[in-house]
Amino acid sequence: MSTLETIPNSKKEVLVEILLRLADDRLILGHRLSEWAGHAPELEEDLALANIALDMIGHASALYGYAAQLEDKPDEDHYAYFRDDIDFKNIALTELPRGDFAFTTARLFLFSTFSYLLYNNITQVIEEEQFNGIIKKHFNEIKYHLRHSREWVLRLGDGTDLSKLKIQQAIDDLWMYTGEMFETDKTENLAAGYNLFIDVPVLKNEWMKWVTETLEEATLKTPDNNQYMFTGSRQGRHTEHLGRLLAEMQFLRRSYPDADWK
Amino acid sequence: MKIKQPIAESQIWSWLEEVTDPEIPVLNVVEMGIVRNVEIGKYDEITVKITPTYSGCPAMNAIENEIHKKLLDKGASNYRVVTDYKEIWTTDWMTNNAKQKLKEYGIAPPEKTPAGKDFLTSLKSQQKIVPCPWCDSMETELQSEFGSTACKAQYYCNECLQPFEYFKCI
């Protein structure tokens, strides 16, 4: 049934690295979204953000779980709780503090657009059955995240003067962290060679098109693309914020490694 | 109670029909389409293949535990429960009978997922009418695409003035 035994070690290593990158993005952003529980501007939005956070943490869990099978680790918790910030490969966009509601909305929109395009494209190349199944499944849920965040961008941008000011500010502030989405390196090139991933930079034009269309509809300005872009997160060089997030997320499990619910 | 394997496949299916969703106790895991396959191997080992519904659904763990418990309670010893991603779960797998039970429970059942729809348009502007499970009125409106669990959206009925939940299509 399983194809685990048939995957050569060199390919397995690359696959694990890709799984961790995808999972880290989703765990960290999911954690940031979960910080809204009980704090969102209205009850419906509180539920929506908590639901999306749950989805993302669920996505990370499935990807980590598969990596754990490949690496013969006990379970997905190994990756979430027992790695340090330098080991995490999420892009900085996902780890920035949650900010206000406009910032949260803008980040979710920029990330979900990327996620949608990435997943849509990689399901067409991945031959490895289990990996493809996981990605296909998550793709259906990402549509909900994209639609929801896009509608809020429209509402805030084309809303009051204040909401417009705030969402434009959020988009501008986030822009320098979007470059990392389209970076590629040796690992991803290898993965593309194994039909486990795509050449991510090809998504950039499409992403710009989607984002610009929505921003225009929301009467917002698309920031200049030729500005300084933050880099280094995929190599483990993060902003100061990730360490603090992990400290909060990991401390219980590290203090009581064998704790369970029973 | 210890039973002697081999057991018939149909017997295992009927055991699994006794396992219900903890969030929606009127539905069992077979009619929801969660159990995809039951196999009995050549050493009489039982393999139950299940597929996750919504990724963020915390009930999935509970459901898997319940399946283990049920098989043990029935006396099966040589079995495993495997999560399978080969087929992607969709609300279309829910049986008509299950949809009827959902409605009677007060949750509007999922419609058939339309193929190739423009998902970016909001549910509101798609003009999809979800009839009220209480009074069957078509005068309902979407309150939020996200509800009390990962699988539900919130609606309001303008006829009987009751809020209700709608099982989202996926």
Side-chain angles (χ1 to χ4, degrees):
Chain A
M1 189 241 1
S2 165
T3 52
L4 289 189
E5 293 76 23
T6 60
I7 305 177
N9 278 338
S10 51
K11 185 176 170 183
K12 214 181 258 187
E13 267 173 39
V14 175
L15 175 53
V16 167
E17 180 66 23
I18 292 295
L19 290 169
L20 294 185
R21 287 179 185 200
L22 291 171
D24 288 348
D25 278 348
R26 282 148 191 88
L27 176 68
I28 300 302
L29 186 53
H31 186 87
R32 281 296 184 218
L33 287 168
S34 76
E35 293 174 357
W36 277 99
H39 299 284
E42 55 181 33
L43 184 60
E44 285 77 7
E45 204 43 40
D46 209 288
L47 288 172
L49 290 173
N51 266 303
I52 296 172
L54 256 178
D55 277 349
M56 288 207 186
I57 295 168
H59 294 177
S61 168
L63 294 162
Y64 285 143
Y66 185 33
Q69 276 181 291
L70 290 165
E71 288 204 304
D72 216 7
K73 302 276 189 212
D75 59 20
E76 64 262 35
D77 286 0
H78 164 80
Y79 301 103
Y81 294 122
F82 297 104
R83 288 183 304 149
D84 295 325
D85 53 358
I86 198 165
D87 306 317
F88 273 78
K89 301 296 160 59
N90 59 289
I91 55 173
L93 180 91
T94 60
E95 74 203 28
L96 300 171
R98 74 169 189 262
D100 60 10
F101 183 67
F103 188 86
T104 292
T105 301
R107 165 161 61 187
L108 187 59
F109 168 67
L110 296 173
F111 182 80
S112 298
T113 309
F114 170 65
S115 244
Y116 174 85
L117 294 172
L118 179 67
Y119 275 40
N120 194 17
N121 277 274
I122 55 179
T123 51
Q124 291 162 32
V125 299
I126 300 171
E127 289 167 358
E128 210 280 313
E129 208 172 43
Q130 188 168 352
F131 186 23
N132 201 353
I134 293 172
I135 295 293
K136 264 195 190 137
K137 162 136 204 70
H138 297 175
F139 178 64
N140 287 336
E141 292 162 355
I142 290 170
K143 292 177 189 172
Y144 273 93
H145 306 171
L146 177 53
R147 182 165 63 212
H148 186 73
S149 55
R150 191 184 105 91
E151 282 183 0
W152 268 112
V153 169
L154 296 176
R155 213 169 296 148
L156 295 176
D158 201 10
T160 65
D161 289 347
L162 183 62
S163 71
K164 181 173 182 165
L165 189 75
K166 287 193 172 187
I167 189 79
Q168 183 69 63
Q169 189 64 51
I171 296 277
D172 293 348
D173 289 347
L174 282 159
W175 204 253
M176 67 180 262
Y177 296 99
T178 58
E180 284 188 325
M181 292 173 179
F182 308 104
E183 281 179 2
T184 185
D185 61 7
K186 209 175 139 205
T187 305
E188 291 186 8
N189 288 336
L190 277 173
Y194 284 126
N195 286 332
L196 294 170
F197 211 61
I198 52 155
D199 184 32
V200 183
V202 302
L203 297 179
K204 183 152 188 193
N205 284 342
E206 189 79 359
W207 180 84
M208 269 304 287
K209 197 174 137 241
W210 282 51
V211 168
T212 308
E213 270 172 19
T214 297
L215 293 182
E216 273 174 13
E217 200 181 329
T219 70
L220 295 168
K221 287 195 188 74
T222 306
D224 178 10
N225 225 357
N226 295 317
Q227 60 171 286
Y228 165 75
M229 288 288 169
F230 185 90
T231 181
S233 304
R234 292 273 193 232
Q235 286 75 45
R237 295 193 303 278
H238 290 278
T239 67
E240 64 181 294
H241 308 295
L242 181 65
R244 292 172 197 189
L245 181 152
L246 293 179
E248 192 186 324
M249 189 178 84
Q250 295 178 333
F251 94 92
L252 186 70
R253 193 62 201 272
R254 289 198 182 204
S255 306
Y256 305 96
D258 301 321
D260 64 28
W261 293 101
K262 287 177 204 113
Chain B
M1 181 185 70
K2 201 88 183 156
I3 50 146
K4 255 179 83 113
Q5 291 181 338
I7 314 157
E9 235 179 80
S10 57
Q11 178 69 67
I12 297 164
W13 281 103
S14 67
W15 292 345
L16 294 171
E17 279 171 7
E18 294 170 20
V19 179
T20 54
D21 182 323
E23 293 285 347
I24 312 165
V26 290
L27 294 187
N28 71 57
V29 295
V30 174
E31 60 194 352
M32 283 192 78
I34 291 173
V35 179
R36 296 316 297 157
N37 201 3
V38 173
E39 276 168 25
I40 298 177
K42 61 178 167 184
Y43 304 108
D44 293 331
E45 74 280 20
I46 303 165
T47 306
V48 176
K49 280 192 189 165
I50 57 170
T51 187
T53 51
Y54 287 77
S55 306
C57 182
M60 266 323 285
N61 274 339
I63 288 171
E64 198 177 328
N65 288 341
E66 288 294 314
I67 292 176
H68 278 275
K69 192 169 169 293
K70 181 58 70 181
L71 291 169
L72 276 176
D73 285 353
K74 295 290 182 185
S77 50
N78 189 7
Y79 71 88
R80 56 192 194 128
V81 181
V82 181
T83 302
D84 194 15
Y85 280 96
K86 254 172 229 160
E87 299 173 283
I88 316 300
W89 186 81
T90 151
T91 36
D92 294 347
W93 291 350
M94 211 180 266
T95 62
N96 284 336
N97 192 23
K99 288 181 182 174
Q100 185 56 33
K101 282 201 242 173
L102 261 186
K103 183 176 179 291
E104 283 161 16
Y105 189 61
I107 299 172
E111 314 273 315
K112 206 155 172 53
T113 32
K117 71 172 176 203
D118 182 9
F119 73 92
L120 275 181
T121 4
S122 73
L123 289 187
K124 234 173 198 161
S125 49
Q126 279 169 25
Q127 307 272 327
K128 181 157 74 181
I129 295 168
V130 176
C132 172
W134 306 114
C135 71
D136 291 319
S137 163
M138 299 301 222
E139 300 296 320
T140 63
E141 66 181 296
L142 176 72
Q143 301 281 301
S144 171
E145 274 192 53
F146 297 88
S148 60
T149 65
C151 56
K152 285 176 259 164
Q154 299 174 69
Y155 275 77
Y156 187 75
C157 176
N158 290 323
E159 190 82 32
C160 69
L161 309 181
Q162 292 295 317
F164 68 91
E165 292 186 303
Y166 166 61
F167 204 106
K168 294 197 290 211
C169 294
I170 196 170

